[in-house]
Amino acid sequence: MELFRYATSVYGDREIIGGSFDLIQYFVALGVAVILVHAIFKWVLPSNNNSAH
Amino acid sequence: MSSQAADGRVERHKLVDRIYHWVMAISILTLMATAFLPILGWKFEWLEIHWITGLVLTLAVLFHIIRSLFFQKIMNMVPDGKDISAPLARPGKYSMAQKLYHAAVAVLILCGIGSGLLMLRHIDTPFWKRDPYWFTDHGWGVVYSLHDFAAMALITMVMIHVYFALRPDEWHLTRSMLRGWMTRKEYGDHYDPSRWKPSQD
């Protein structure tokens, strides 16, 4: 898994040209994970109106 | 409408702030669509829409920074002692979680805007011809990497934000960003009146 995208410059150097878009799936997965953990947490624990959220 | 209306409503967001939020939201979604849909295979002329929308977002965020610093209570969005000692207790206007989320999103959006404005120098616009030598190859790589990682991290943050906005137990907040108010009962149930007095916003 690469973190960055690379290209070869006119001078023959390997240069970073940006972040790797292969990582998009991991950011989506992180979002899904946070949502699932929160949803399960709220479902399992009793609701408490006298608290934030 | 006064903050202590007789009809049992409490004002949470003024019209100008709601307009700002939705301009920012539409800009962010447009930027993400023009950024990622072509990467995912849906090819279209995305660049012009992307940088023009980026300028709209820049102006909107600039407006928000000035308004929040000089015309609103900036400390409403800063964690205080009670947020740290009792993060799950009834909060002021914003909970600890909301304050931390706002800080994270602010850093990411400012990173995206800053790098995006630098990247404007790399393309032709009505204002100037592109200058690919403004940075070295390595320098452009750093700028593009910051922009790309900020954008991908914002995917996560937008997903989380939309989830909370759609939760039934948070609809009073979603409604307040559309209509500007919440009921007095919702205010009493969710907020500590000693920490947030809407009439003093």
Side-chain angles (χ1 to χ4, degrees), chain B residues 15-103:
Chain B
L15 177 61
V16 65
D17 300 310
R18 285 178 274 142
I19 290 172
Y20 156 72
H21 172 273
W22 292 111
V23 166
M24 178 193 60
I26 291 168
S27 299
I28 291 281
L29 292 176
T30 303
L31 286 164
M32 291 174 67
T34 50
F36 295 116
L37 290 178
I39 292 167
L40 296 174
W42 187 2
K43 304 295 184 187
F44 59 96
E45 289 300 317
W46 59 271
L47 181 58
E48 197 164 21
I49 305 171
H50 190 85
W51 71 259
I52 291 172
T53 308
L55 290 181
V56 170
L57 177 67
T58 302
L59 291 173
V61 167
L62 200 58
F63 166 82
H64 175 64
I65 290 172
I66 291 170
R67 177 164 165 77
S68 60
L69 281 177
F70 299 108
F71 299 94
Q72 292 179 301
K73 285 183 159 185
I74 188 66
M75 294 310 291
N76 274 345
M77 198 49 89
V78 177
D80 59 28
K82 206 156 182 186
D83 287 321
I84 295 166
S85 62
L88 298 181
R90 272 192 287 178
K93 187 171 185 181
Y94 300 103
S95 66
M96 178 65 156
Q98 288 175 309
K99 292 175 182 180
L100 292 176
Y101 178 90
H102 175 271

Side-chain angles (χ1 to χ4, degrees), chain B residues 173-191:
Chain B
L173 283 174
T174 307
R175 187 218 303 126
S176 74
M177 190 49 79
L178 290 163
R179 304 292 299 278
W181 53 264
M182 60 177 56
T183 65
R184 192 169 300 281
K185 183 180 186 309
E186 288 162 346
Y187 169 67
D189 285 346
H190 293 96
Y191 299 95

